[in-house]
Amino acid sequence: MSLWDKIKDAVTTDDAEAAEEARQEAEAAQAEADKAKVEAQARADEARRKADEAAEKAGLPTASDEEKAQADQARKDAEAEAVKAQEEAQEADRKADERAQKAIEKANKRREKRQEERQEAREERREERQDARQEARREANEPDTYTVKSGDTLSEIGARFGVDWREIARVNNIENPDLIHPGQKFTIPKR
């Protein structure tokens, strides 16, 4: 599985920006690892080429003991270089994986933080709705009041609030509904 596939699996698409940053970080780490592998392989190939040249020289009938020893040493050096190249390639892969893992962790932390912020916002909206409902219930249970103005009649006041004028008279103990005065305060019952 490539580094990008690991990141894609670890980061959900709800945070595309964090996922993109993690993908770019993983690609950069993978590019560095690939470069290190190529360089290590080139060194190993060069060491093998030199070992082959030395072995070819040592295989000639006129080769001296010193040339044969050099050929053996070149083979050992080539093997050591190949081992070193393999180790460097593994280290480059490990570093790339480490960088990718850090990018995944960073993206996950950002995603978690955003999820927490969204949850807090949802809770805040829920509380606001709950407060608004409670306020509406309080207002629904509280009777309306009306201050009489010049020219008002009880039937007009009742029509304005959608309540029978006789109910307004009864709730406010009005003995003569035709006799109301400006400035009087009436409790308007709920429908």
Side-chain angles (χ1 to χ4, degrees):
M1 177 183 275
S2 74
L3 291 175
W4 171 239
D5 290 332
K6 290 178 186 177
I7 291 170
K8 196 166 56 172
D9 288 346
V11 179
T12 61
T13 57
D14 70 337
D15 194 356
E17 185 179 310
E20 179 61 20
E21 284 179 14
R23 183 189 65 75
Q24 289 175 354
E25 182 67 23
E27 285 179 355
Q30 188 62 54
E32 286 179 21
D34 292 344
K35 181 180 175 186
K37 286 178 189 179
V38 167
E39 289 171 357
Q41 188 60 47
R43 286 194 310 275
D45 290 345
E46 179 63 21
R48 281 190 194 103
R49 186 189 63 73
K50 287 179 182 177
D52 289 344
E53 286 176 4
E56 191 177 310
K57 266 185 170 181
L60 295 174
T62 59
S64 66
D65 288 337
E66 186 179 328
E67 288 174 327
K68 289 178 184 176
Q70 287 176 348
D72 286 339
Q73 186 60 44
R75 264 193 244 85
K76 288 177 186 175
D77 290 346
E79 288 171 11
E81 191 64 38
V83 168
K84 184 178 175 185
Q86 182 65 28
E87 289 171 354
E88 288 177 2
Q90 289 173 348
E91 179 66 12
D93 280 341
R94 186 193 63 75
K95 285 181 179 180
D97 284 345
E98 193 176 281
R99 279 181 66 185
Q101 188 59 39
K102 285 180 182 178
I104 289 169
E105 289 170 4
K106 180 180 175 183
N108 283 338
K109 284 179 184 177
R110 285 182 62 184
R111 185 187 72 224
E112 288 169 7
K113 181 180 178 189
R114 287 188 178 158
Q115 286 174 339
E116 288 173 5
E117 289 170 350
R118 287 183 197 120
Q119 182 61 30
E120 288 173 5
R122 278 193 291 274
E123 289 175 12
E124 194 174 298
R125 286 191 304 270
R126 183 179 49 78
E127 289 174 7
E128 288 172 357
R129 286 191 302 269
Q130 193 173 20
D131 290 347
R133 281 189 211 109
Q134 287 176 347
E135 182 64 26
R137 282 187 202 114
R138 260 187 257 112
E139 288 177 4
N141 292 331
E142 292 177 5
D144 289 326
T145 58
Y146 180 76
T147 304
V148 177
K149 295 181 182 96
S150 180
D152 281 344
T153 66
L154 209 49
S155 60
E156 288 173 346
I157 295 169
R160 189 174 300 145
F161 288 93
V163 178
D164 187 337
W165 65 270
R166 285 172 273 232
E167 186 63 19
I168 296 172
R170 184 189 65 75
V171 168
N172 291 285
N173 299 320
I174 299 173
E175 293 181 19
N176 183 356
D178 293 327
L179 190 58
I180 60 173
H181 306 286
Q184 276 183 290
K185 292 187 186 260
F186 292 144
T187 299
I188 310 297
K190 297 296 177 189
R191 299 179 236 168

